[in-house]
Each structure stands twice: as C-alpha cells, then as structure tokens.
Amino acid sequence: MQSKSFSVKTVVAIGIGAALFVVLARFGSIPSPIPNTNIQTNYAILALFAVLYGPLAGLLIGLIGHTVTDLISYGNPWFSWIIASGVFGLIVGLLARKLRIQKGQYSLIRIQDGEFGLKGIVLFNIIQIIANVLSWLVVAPVLDILIYAEPANKVFTQGVLATGANIATVAVLGTLIAIAYSKTRTKQGSLTREE
Amino acid sequence: MRKPMIEFDQFTFQYRAQSEPTLRDIQLTIYEGEKVLIVGPSGSGKSTLAHCMNGLAPHFYPGECSGVLKIGGVDSKKMGIAELSDLIGTVMQDPDGQFVGLTVAEDIAFKLENEGIVQAEMIRRVQEAAEEVEFADFLAASPQELSGGQKQKTTLAGGLVGGAPILLFDEPLASLDPYSGRATVELIDRLHQNSARTIVIIEHRLEEMLHRAVDRIIVVDEGRIIADLPPDELIASGLLREKGIREPLHLSAIRYAGGSLSQEMNLQYVERMNLEPYRDSLIQWSETPMIESPISTSKPLLELENITFGYDSTHPVLQEISFQVSQGEVLCIAGRNGAGKSTISRLICGFHKPSSGSITLNGRDLSGDSIRERADVIGFVMQNPNHMLSKPLLYDEVASGLVHRGVPENEIRERVHETLRVCGLYPFRSWPIAALSYGQKKRATIASILVLRPEILILDEPTAGQDYRHYHEMMTFLMELNAQGMTLIMITHDMHLMLEYGQRTIVLSEGRKIADDTPARILGDAAIVEQAHLHETSLHILARRLGIEPEEKIVSQFIQSDRRRVN
Amino acid sequence: MAPRLLSYSNIDSPVHRLSGVTKLLAFLLFSIAGMISYDTRCLLAMLILSLVVFYVSKVPFKQYSFVLYLILIFAAINQLAIFLFAPEQGVQIYGTRHELLHVFGRYSITSEQLFYQFNILLKFAVIVPPALLFLLATEPSEFASSLNRIGVSYKIAYAISITMRYIPDVQQEYVNISIAAQARGLDMSRKEKLGRRLKNMAGILLPLVLATLERIEKVSAALELRGFGRKRKRTWYKSRPLTKTDGFVIAGAVLIAVAVLVITFWDGARFYNPFV
C-alpha cells in the first residue's frame, strides 16, 4: 500500500474509491437546511483513503467522485465545491504522508499496521480539521465568489456550516472506521486460544 | 520430443508475511498441448502454484523463491507480470473483480489496449476471440447484464486475445451453478481440442472437471506435490478421499457397495465405465433395508400463500408462490440466477412487501411486522460473511444484535458465550474477526444471528466456494443445529448439499414454483433439472444403467452410507 | 430504493454521432466561459444555442425530467438564500439603486438585485444543457479515451473508467450490507437520533470499506495480469475517430468561448451593466 508515485494499485484505488464516494454521496448523506450543504459520510471515507493511498489518490478521488456525483444525480457540476473536495483529499494525504516521513519508516498514523492509538487519533483529527477548514472555509467560498460572484456573507456562512458538519462527520465516522480498520490488521501471532 | 512449457525445478516459495514456505521443492513439468488438473484442499498451496506461474507471486504478492521456474523455456525471474501475460492467459474465480471493462468488447480488448495495438486490428482480434468462446453476440453487453458464466466467457476471451500459448484457470467453477460449470468444462475442452494450447486448471471440484478428459491430475498437499498421475490411476488409488477431495459420487457408491476400484474399468465416466464386476453388489446394496429417518410431520411453522411480487407492476419477479415449512425441517430452494430465490428470502425477512398474498409464522400474519421484529424470529445469513461482519472483534459482533435490542449486559455476556460454544468459536471470543478463517467467519455470522434465538434460519449458499472438508464441517454444524430443533431454509444450487442434507427441495423458475419434492426425486427429473440450471448426478445415471427402479433408491442408500462413514 | 440516475442511451442524432472528445471539449469550454462571464447578452446567447443543440440531440424528456425538479429546487433555494444574505449585492455591483418595493427592515427589492440574481440563474442554467448532453449522449466508454486524447494521463483517465464500471457493483454491495445490518436491528431511518444513526452508519461503512479494499486488491491483480501500465501509451477500443463535423464543432466552441470572454472583458468589467 506504500505509494509508488502512480502504481496500478493507486489507479485502481482512485477508481474504486471514487465509486465508493459516489455511492455514499447518494445513499449516506443527510440533507441540511442550507443549500449545497449536507452531512456527508463520504468525506470520512475520503479521509481514510487519502491516508491509506496518499495525496494524489486523495485529490483524484475527491475530484472524480464529486464530479461524477454531481453529473449523474443533478446533471450540473458545481465546480467550486468539486475542487474543494479534491483539495480536502490532497491535504489529508499530504499531511499524513509528511508525518510518515518525519518519523522515519513509520508514520504516527499507522492505521494499516494495526496501530491507531490515542496519539494517532489526535493527529488524524488535527489533520482532518486543517484540511476541512482549508477546503470548506477557504477554497470553496473563495471560488464561489470568484466564479459565481455570490455574496460573501452567504458563501462564508455556507462554508462555516459545511466545515462544521464535515469536521464532525469525519471526527465521528472517520475515527470510528479508522480504529475499527486498524483493529482488523492485528497480527495473528499475538493471539492465543482461551478455554 | 514434446516441448516443456512450464518447468518447476526444486522450486520453493515463501510469502513475505509468513514464517514458513507455502510451496516446497516443487518438481513439475507441463508440456506443450497438455491439459493438466491441479487439485488439493484449501490452504494446500495450489493457488500459490498458480500465482507463481502467472507472476502474481512474487510481483504482486511479495515473497522469496528459490529453485528454478521456467515459462516457455525462459527463466521467470527475468520476466515481470506483463511479460508473463504474453505467455500465460489467466482466468480467476471472481467474475466481477477481473471484468474491468464497461462492456464485453472492451474487457476482451483490455490487453490489446495496454499493448497499444491500433483500433482496427483490435476490433478484428476481439471478434475472433469472442467467436472462439462462442460469445460474439454479446460484445456490447455491460457486466451488470451478464450471469457469472457469461462474465467468465468474457474473461476467457480476454485471456485468449493476446495469443498466449498457455491458459491458466484458477478455480473456474467456484462461482458457477452446476449447469454453467459443466458448460465451462466443455468449453475449456473445445479450446484444448481445437488448438495446441497448454491448459492448466486449478480446481477442487473434481467430479465436475472430470466431465471432460484431462491428461494428468496433480495433487498438492501442504505445499508439496504428492501425486502426479493419469485420472483413472489416481481415482483408483483412493488418495483423493484421504486428502479430503471428493471423488465422483458413482465411485463412492461402488466403494460403499463393497467393490474395489481398478483403473482398467474406465472409472471417470459413469456413462462408459465397465460396471459388470460391480453390478451384483450394487444391486444388492441398493436393496439393503433403510433405517427410517423420522420425517417431521409436525405443524407448519412458516407458510407462504399465493405470494406475488414485482419491483414494478409489469414485471413480476414472483408469481403465486405457496409453500409451507414445518418445524425442524431442512428445506432447499433452488433455481437458476434470476429465478427469484433471493427475492423470496427478502420477502420473508420483510425487506420488500409482497404485492399480494400472505406470509404467516405459527399462524400469525407477518405483514404488520417491521424488519427488526421479523429478525427476532427469522434469521438471515448472507452468502458473503464479509458483508455481515460489522465489528472488529468477535465478541462485539455476536453481541451487537442484543445491544441494539437493549438487552442487559450480563444477559448479553451469557447468551453470547453460550452461542459461541454452540458454534465452536468460544476459544476465539476475544479475537479480532480478521484473524478468523473463512469458515470461522461464516460461523461467526451464523452465531451473530443465532444469539437472537430465531425460530428459522435462512442461509444463502452456506457452503459456496468452500472445499470438501470445510463444506463438510459447515454442514455438520448446521445439522447439529437442526437436531436441536432449528428449522433451516437453504438457498443453494449445490446439488451435493441438496442431496445429502435437504429433506425437501423447492425449485423456482421464472418466478414460479415448478417443483416441491425430495431432492433425490427432483435431481432425477430431467426437465426440472434443466430449468433449475442443475444437472443430473452420476448416481442417477448409475441407477439407470443398472436398471434400479426407482432411481432414488440408490441415492438414499448412498446418503445413508455416506453419513455412516462420516459419523 | 435507488434514486434514478442520469445515464447514456443509444439514440441516433447528430450530437450522438460526434466524438466524445468533441462533446467533452464543448462542455468544458462552455462551462469555463459560463463560469467566468457575467455578461447577460453572452449568457443568454449561449443558453439559447445550447438549448437548440439539446433539441437536436433528440434526448427524450423523461430521461432527464426528474433532475429538472432537483435543479429547480436547488436554484430556488439558492436564489432565496442570496436574497436573504445580501439583498443589496446587486446595488453594490452595478453602482445604482432603483428600488421597486420595500419588503421590511433592510430588505427591499431593487431592479439591480433582480438583474443580478437573474444573471446568477442564467450562469447556472447555461452549464446544465452541455453537462446533460455530455452525460446523456456520450457512451461512458468514451469518457476515458476522450480525456486521454485532450492530454490527461491515461492512468487517470482509466481510473474514471473504473469508477463508472464499479459504481453499480459498490452500490449493490452497499444495499446488501445495509440489509444485513437492518436484519440485525440497526435502524438507519430518521426514527433514530442523529448520534446513534452515525454510529449505526459506521456499522455499515466498516464492512463496506473492507470489501472495497479487498476489491481494490482483486482488480489491481486483474489489471496487472493483463499488462496495464506496461507501456507509456495505450490505445482505446472505444475511441471514435474525429470527423470533419467534429472539427467544425470544436472550432465553433473555441470561437464562441473566446468571443464570450472578449465581449465580457471589452469594457474592463466582468458585469454587463444596463443601469448606466
């Protein structure tokens, strides 16, 4: 799962990760009263895939997944938010990898090695908060203003809501799934039968 | 002088993550134009052998190898997976994972696209490959429109299209119904007859593979080759039974009747084998008095009456289905893909509402009950355990249904432990689910349902993809549950399962019930067998050749002897 | 249970006969021009043109009627939100104020605001027909080859093909898993509290993620076994050669996009201002 810049596995992870993103966007989201703003479980999955498969995969799963979702369910791609989705995946992937390099061979977020303790959980959440703030409070509203000339107070209100909702979703769902996933990676050698 | 295509010499392979080699001292040569079958129980290393041939090991699944492996005369160390794919076309068992194109034509073309072949030549070669597997009418179809067998044909054409001289099949029958499986065996044989291709098949469903001739059978066990013999010699030796591989049923019947098999008798084909030496003993055996098994005549537990259902009103999926299930019964539901088998179970569990008709349990109409309320009395076990396991730890998984129902904690602990004991999983209670084997996972899903104390278990293909030993373990476990009073409904097209464990079988075809009888009689009815995508068993053919009437007699006798041998 | 989706259908029309590359380029050019421009005249002209092309494509109404409602609802809510948040945005942009009706407090309707919101609606509407056309009149098989043709790396382009291929399979898997979860008493409906629902969702997502990771392994192996990524270039079975018509359409789309940008920025402002 180590990212060799663009291995076959990364290509497949992008393709199938984006398919999962699309399916969850359609089934696993709860609408909120503000337009364009949903509590979306698919961002929890995007965060996890960005950690597992790296920044390029995160970026492309976000871009492809969001574009395809918009196209097949509304026929109308909303580009500013599509780009923000990509940026979210990219930043989570970059920060998670950065930590990996600083700590030598292993990152502090060792989800795939079956270790995801308190330290990892805190780091994962710091990363996701930074990424969410940058994508939904900076990139999405600024692009909304640049592209669609929408009123600043409207798009920033939307941005605050989306940031809050996504931070909460990733904090709850993303963390739960990352913990559960890391537990599935426990080595068999550490187990004994109890009678 | 025959040209060697695959040569293993003192070959050993060890996965990076494992402490012991999976393959040891493999010495094996497969020659040009040969058709070779490799069998072995799961975990024997037979799949690893395939992965070494096509390069997945060590390039995709990292590991260390020693010794020599030559493919087409070239040292495999000098080739990557892509180069090896020019020599070996691979067909794997999972039809969806390897069907990567959006249409049949694109999937067949995939290798050519990667080689950068120009479009006009691609179209021509795709057409040729599709014709060779008799699938040229479906070039524009999408994978969602195809059955498992049709997807497999596509993959096979995709393996042929690059012109590889060797075809490798890794458990090609695992996800096919008996009818499609037989069609695949025949197709592989035609491909072999019509070309000089070398064919290697890894499969544990021996009887179905022997429907067409193979040159040699290689038996792998614990990472070593323990036999490399022509089929008749191997079958006569009795080694297969020792290694937990199921031999053709007609041969087991001969053994039960006291006959000893000898390779001169043309054993593998029940239609052509020499039965004379065994005739008398078989007929006598079929007349042995049967121990009457107590057929349950207790009150009906579940009753479906005139159930009709369709996702839209113009296309009914089920039409006027009625049947009863008695307390303690073992019922099988069979039928080809799309016949409505899984829809029935979903209706019973309440995921869909029938457009007309009623479902009653113990005489009480279930129509007002929610999915969750029904789940308290009717347990539904899906085919793929990975779809049901939602917690990382075994204990939590089994407890989760009770937790959701607000059962007090000490009672949860007691019931979970009790259920785990019943399922033979108690020693593993604090293990993560990921550390369990496939069969144990399957049992974990059953445990997570049993803990709710349902009155009926519905199981979708409980033994799919498992080898004989695991099949046997699973069914023994289910029969123990049944002996304790659990009513079982099994959706299956496994004919052995039906014959050996089903008390009654219902056959669906195009949304209608076309048969409701004992499995032995159903499997003897040619018209029903065809509509249900099953095929005749070799026991029925044996009975006919011996003139035993009715044919089921030999089947019941067989089952009785089989149970006695095992218990 | 599945909501309806937009998808390709095979109809013979001049639009369907165009290469996927052409439709992709036209869609992208129109989207970019539509996003940048706030020139009402240009936007109107583009909308009319794309509606004409849409008519030519003969796509039956019922194939996309259901998304029109979604789009209308979305547009209406968005319009309302803009008015609520910034009732004077139009006045700010156009620099004049013609009040038509005072509603209450700081809210009054001005010609400038109406015109500004009309422009937003137009920008929104301009992108819909080309996007729908690209989706409804292009075979998904052509998406990847088209992207590769306009310079996107074939690996990224193929990833999109994999997405289209596996959406139905992943969806089926999701349905299976949620059925199994519901049968054991996990309630996903609004009857449960939000917190509990999220937790229940995790119970569905974990098996789905594990199954997806396993699928990634299998599909990667299948791709490797058939030589994916071996060469620096690859060809496409389903690419459609560019015809003369394609050339005209691409040239036309480029011209229109350039013209729109030139007209928009001619007077140095992005907004067409009828009030001065």
Side-chain angles (χ1 to χ4, degrees):
Chain A
M1 230 164 270
Q2 296 298 321
S3 48
K4 204 180 67 185
S5 71
F6 219 156
S7 65
V8 171
K9 205 174 272 179
T10 312
V11 174
V12 176
I14 292 166
I16 295 182
L20 182 59
F21 185 95
V22 173
V23 169
L24 287 179
R26 295 179 37 227
F27 288 98
S29 69
I30 304 152
S32 82
I34 303 291
N36 234 340
T37 314
N38 284 324
I39 297 172
Q40 287 174 319
T41 54
N42 48 350
Y43 288 97
I45 299 300
L46 176 54
L48 181 69
F49 272 61
V51 173
L52 292 179
Y53 293 100
L56 187 60
L59 171 72
L60 288 168
I61 292 173
L63 289 180
I64 297 171
H66 199 146
T67 309
V68 173
T69 307
D70 274 6
L71 275 175
I72 64 176
S73 30
Y74 318 110
N76 187 358
W78 194 259
F79 291 101
S80 44
W81 290 58
I82 288 173
I83 293 167
S85 285
V87 168
F88 175 74
L90 176 72
I91 293 171
V92 171
L94 277 177
L95 293 179
R97 173 182 283 182
K98 183 110 185 143
L99 285 170
R100 190 171 302 167
I101 291 165
Q102 279 175 351
K103 290 286 162 188
Q105 200 182 352
Y106 292 107
S107 79
L108 283 170
I109 302 178
R110 290 156 67 177
I111 301 176
Q112 55 269 63
D113 302 311
E115 272 177 50
F116 190 57
L118 189 62
K119 232 174 171 179
I121 293 171
V122 171
L123 274 171
F124 173 73
N125 278 291
I126 292 173
I127 290 174
Q128 68 100 347
I129 289 169
I130 295 172
N132 267 316
V133 168
L134 280 174
S135 334
W136 307 113
L137 209 53
V138 180
V139 174
V142 168
L143 286 176
D144 267 346
I145 294 171
L146 287 177
I147 298 176
Y148 301 104
E150 294 213 340
N153 56 353
K154 178 209 169 221
V155 293
F156 280 107
T157 310
Q158 280 181 329
V160 168
L161 284 167
T163 311
N166 281 346
I167 287 178
T169 318
V170 181
V172 179
L173 278 179
T175 310
L176 277 177
I177 295 163
I179 294 171
Y181 174 64
S182 76
K183 280 192 192 158
T184 67
R185 308 281 296 182
T186 311
K187 300 276 184 297
Q188 197 158 0
S190 61
L191 299 166
T192 48
R193 296 175 176 218
E194 313 163 62
E195 289 309 324
Chain B
M1 176 65 194
R2 292 187 302 173
K3 181 181 162 199
M5 295 302 286
I6 299 172
E7 293 164 273
F8 286 92
D9 187 17
Q10 291 296 311
F11 186 85
T12 296
F13 180 81
Q14 180 173 350
Y15 287 108
R16 189 180 289 166
Q18 280 177 2
S19 52
E20 302 236 332
T22 302
L23 293 177
R24 294 165 196 270
D25 304 325
I26 298 293
Q27 200 73 36
L28 172 69
T29 308
I30 296 170
Y31 296 95
E32 185 170 29
E34 262 197 308
K35 183 179 176 193
V36 174
L37 175 62
I38 300 177
V39 298
S42 31
S44 62
K46 63 183 191 302
S47 282
T48 304
L49 200 61
H51 293 158
C52 289
M53 293 183 200
N54 62 25
L56 283 179
H59 300 290
F60 191 77
Y61 305 112
E64 288 297 317
C65 38
S66 63
V68 182
L69 167 60
K70 286 184 187 172
I71 307 286
V74 184
D75 189 343
S76 70
K77 287 198 191 77
K78 298 197 178 100
M79 294 184 277
I81 301 183
E83 286 75 36
L84 280 164
S85 75
D86 293 339
L87 298 169
I88 299 191
T90 309
V91 177
M92 292 182 288
Q93 59 165 293
D94 173 37
D96 279 306
Q98 55 190 332
F99 194 129
V100 294
L102 285 160
T103 59
V104 169
E106 284 167 88
D107 192 62
I108 299 176
F110 189 70
K111 178 158 171 65
L112 303 179
E113 291 182 328
N114 295 330
E115 302 291 330
I117 307 285
V118 293
Q119 202 180 18
E121 187 186 340
M122 252 193 302
I123 291 172
R124 183 178 56 75
R125 284 172 68 178
V126 166
Q127 179 71 28
E128 279 171 14
E131 276 166 17
E132 199 172 357
V133 300
E134 298 142 25
F135 206 51
D137 296 339
F138 288 84
L139 284 178
S142 73
Q144 282 77 34
E145 303 166 45
L146 303 177
S147 69
Q150 291 173 318
K151 283 180 208 165
Q152 194 180 58
K153 275 191 175 181
T154 308
T155 311
L156 180 47
L160 292 174
V161 79
I166 308 169
L167 285 179
L168 173 65
F169 296 84
D170 190 358
E171 305 212 20
L173 306 182
S175 50
L176 301 183
D177 61 45
Y179 175 88
S180 317
R182 184 167 273 216
T184 294
V185 172
E186 290 168 4
L187 177 62
I188 294 173
D189 194 55
R190 280 197 295 280
L191 288 175
H192 181 238
Q193 302 288 339
N194 301 339
S195 70
R197 287 189 191 99
T198 309
I199 294 196
V200 182
I201 306 157
I202 315 258
E203 182 57 71
H204 60 84
R205 282 159 70 172
L206 182 74
E207 175 166 6
E208 283 163 280
M209 279 318 305
L210 290 183
H211 174 57
R212 286 287 182 271
V214 299
D215 296 318
R216 277 192 286 158
I217 301 179
I218 289 149
V219 186
V220 183
D221 190 38
E222 294 179 353
R224 294 176 196 276
I225 291 179
I226 56 166
D228 179 350
L229 295 167
D232 280 340
E233 204 175 317
L234 179 69
I235 293 167
S237 74
L239 180 73
L240 292 171
R241 284 164 72 92
E242 271 168 46
K243 291 299 164 197
I245 296 158
R246 171 161 248 176
E247 66 185 0
L249 294 182
H250 65 279
L251 299 177
S252 299
I254 292 173
R255 285 189 211 270
Y256 294 146
S260 72
L261 298 172
S262 115
Q263 50 174 304
E264 286 79 43
M265 301 299 172
N266 206 358
L267 295 172
Q268 46 174 319
Y269 308 105
V270 63
E271 296 89 348
R272 274 177 277 152
M273 78 171 283
N274 179 2
L275 282 178
E276 280 322 307
Y278 313 117
R279 178 178 291 275
D280 293 341
S281 56
L282 274 169
I283 290 175
Q284 202 188 357
W285 174 68
S286 76
E287 298 297 338
T288 344
M290 292 283 296
I291 306 159
E292 283 300 316
S293 56
I295 294 291
S296 54
T297 44
S298 57
K299 60 186 167 83
L301 179 62
L302 179 75
E303 199 165 353
L304 274 74
E305 220 175 287
N306 288 318
I307 293 288
T308 297
F309 172 78
Y311 294 96
D312 57 76
S313 52
T314 45
H315 300 95
V317 182
L318 292 174
Q319 289 185 58
E320 289 166 37
I321 303 278
S322 302
F323 63 85
Q324 294 184 343
V325 189
S326 303
Q327 166 68 45
E329 198 178 11
V330 182
L331 175 75
C332 294
I333 301 181
R336 67 167 79 181
N337 289 340
K341 293 180 307 225
S342 39
T343 311
I344 281 211
S345 52
R346 289 187 179 187
L347 284 167
I348 297 174
C349 295
F351 298 119
H352 306 308
K353 294 233 170 300
S355 19
S356 66
S358 68
I359 302 175
T360 53
L361 187 80
N362 284 322
R364 196 176 63 82
D365 192 342
L366 286 180
S367 56
D369 289 12
S370 69
I371 298 175
R372 190 203 285 219
E373 282 161 347
R374 292 190 202 204
D376 288 335
V377 280
I378 303 167
F380 180 47
V381 180
M382 305 183 90
Q383 178 176 342
N384 184 345
N386 294 329
H387 285 168
M388 295 185 68
L389 298 168
S390 59
K391 293 274 165 11
L393 299 176
L394 177 60
Y395 179 89
D396 297 341
E397 181 65 41
V398 178
S400 86
L402 297 176
V403 173
H404 285 293
R405 282 164 178 77
V407 176
E409 210 176 296
N410 48 357
E411 193 190 333
I412 292 183
R413 174 174 298 273
E414 202 175 298
R415 277 169 72 173
V416 169
H417 282 183
E418 177 200 312
T419 311
L420 287 173
R421 277 198 197 93
V422 170
C423 299
L425 293 170
Y426 187 71
F428 312 106
R429 61 192 176 277
S430 44
W431 282 31
I433 287 193
L436 300 179
S437 72
Y438 184 87
Q440 288 170 331
K441 277 187 190 171
K442 186 93 194 177
R443 258 190 281 167
T445 64
I446 296 175
S448 69
I449 300 288
L450 277 181
V451 78
L452 303 174
R453 297 182 178 150
E455 297 187 47
I456 302 181
L457 269 188
I458 303 180
L459 300 116
D460 190 1
E461 293 292 359
T463 57
Q466 300 179 51
D467 70 2
Y468 184 53
R469 191 169 67 85
H470 292 101
Y471 158 89
H472 187 77
E473 277 174 12
M474 173 55 64
M475 290 317 297
T476 310
F477 165 61
L478 288 175
M479 287 305 118
E480 279 163 16
L481 290 179
N482 177 246
Q484 293 161 21
M486 180 63 70
T487 310
L488 300 176
I489 301 179
M490 292 184 282
I491 298 164
T492 185
H493 44 226
D494 185 328
M495 302 192 308
H496 294 149
L497 190 161
M498 241 180 264
L499 262 185
E500 292 168 335
Y501 301 100
Q503 295 168 358
R504 192 155 63 96
T505 294
I506 286 174
V507 179
L508 300 179
S509 178
E510 286 165 15
R512 292 183 183 275
K513 187 174 96 169
I514 58 165
D516 184 344
D517 208 336
T518 64
R521 265 200 289 273
I522 282 183
L523 288 170
D525 183 329
I528 291 172
V529 159
E530 194 192 322
Q531 283 192 67
H533 257 207
L534 304 167
H535 62 71
E536 210 172 26
T537 72
S538 56
L539 289 177
H540 287 91
I541 303 175
L542 187 66
R544 203 168 317 137
R545 283 195 61 196
L546 294 167
I548 296 174
E549 283 278 346
E551 289 167 15
E552 312 78 271
K553 222 159 57 177
I554 204 162
V555 176
S556 336
Q557 203 58 249
F558 173 84
I559 293 165
Q560 188 169 314
S561 308
D562 209 50
R563 292 241 170 102
R564 202 176 294 149
R565 181 179 87 93
V566 165
N567 294 331
Chain C
M1 126 172 234
R4 291 181 64 189
L5 287 181
L6 293 169
S7 63
Y8 169 77
S9 67
N10 193 7
I11 302 169
D12 188 42
S13 85
V15 181
H16 287 74
R17 280 194 294 272
L18 288 174
S19 161
V21 183
T22 313
K23 281 173 275 193
L24 178 67
L25 277 174
F27 161 55
L28 288 177
L29 286 167
F30 258 61
S31 300
I32 292 167
M35 280 194 287
I36 294 173
S37 177
Y38 247 98
D39 191 303
T40 320
R41 299 158 302 181
C42 293
L43 290 174
L44 266 176
M46 280 166 66
L47 181 62
I48 291 167
L49 179 66
S50 53
L51 284 174
V52 169
V53 178
F54 204 89
Y55 177 74
V56 172
S57 76
K58 298 191 232 165
V59 175
F61 180 67
K62 67 171 193 316
Q63 260 207 285
Y64 57 89
S65 56
F66 58 98
V67 292
L68 283 190
Y69 302 118
L70 286 179
I71 292 174
L72 284 177
I73 291 166
F74 178 85
I77 295 174
N78 201 39
Q79 290 285 325
L80 196 67
I82 290 174
F83 183 71
L84 287 178
F85 277 99
E88 299 293 314
Q89 186 84 1
V91 173
Q92 231 173 41
I93 290 171
Y94 298 107
T96 55
R97 191 169 199 285
H98 299 84
E99 185 169 322
L100 299 175
L101 175 74
H102 180 75
V103 187
F104 71 93
R106 66 188 187 105
Y107 293 101
S108 42
I109 296 174
T110 61
S111 318
E112 286 79 4
Q113 184 71 9
L114 281 180
F115 189 67
Y116 160 69
Q117 295 207 201
F118 171 67
N119 276 286
I120 290 200
L121 197 63
L122 259 185
K123 273 168 83 79
F124 189 75
V126 157
I127 299 178
V128 177
L132 279 179
L133 263 189
F134 174 65
L135 198 73
L136 298 173
T138 313
E139 263 188 274
S141 312
E142 266 194 89
F143 291 177
S145 62
S146 304
L147 280 166
N148 186 213
R149 195 113 162 216
I150 64 169
V152 176
S153 137
Y154 82 73
K155 290 185 170 174
I156 295 177
Y158 200 78
I160 294 171
S161 189
I162 294 177
T163 305
M164 303 307 291
R165 159 69 182 90
Y166 284 103
I167 286 174
D169 289 33
V170 173
Q171 183 175 324
Q172 187 58 49
E173 202 151 49
Y174 178 86
V175 171
N176 285 346
I177 290 171
S178 61
I179 278 179
Q182 286 174 54
R184 289 170 55 190
L186 253 68
D187 196 348
M188 296 308 301
S189 70
R190 293 195 155 72
K191 276 187 255 167
E192 285 281 11
K193 287 198 197 86
L194 186 67
R196 186 61 178 267
R197 231 190 299 167
L198 278 175
K199 231 179 155 180
N200 287 355
M201 196 63 184
I204 291 182
L205 288 183
L206 178 67
L208 187 60
V209 166
L210 293 181
T212 304
L213 295 177
E214 201 186 311
R215 193 190 289 277
I216 290 172
E217 290 290 311
K218 279 184 189 161
V219 174
S220 311
L223 256 59
E224 294 264 13
L225 278 177
R226 292 201 272 162
F228 183 78
R230 183 182 193 177
K231 305 226 160 131
R232 303 191 60 177
K233 279 187 176 171
R234 91 195 280 279
T235 47
W236 305 84
Y237 183 84
K238 274 288 171 99
S239 65
R240 213 181 270 244
L242 291 173
T243 62
K244 241 185 210 158
T245 328
D246 286 302
F248 283 128
V249 175
I250 294 172
V254 172
L255 270 178
I256 290 169
V258 171
V260 165
L261 297 186
V262 169
I263 294 170
T264 302
F265 291 104
W266 191 252
D267 51 3
R270 193 178 165 200
F271 294 88
Y272 168 69
N273 193 340
F275 297 103
V276 284

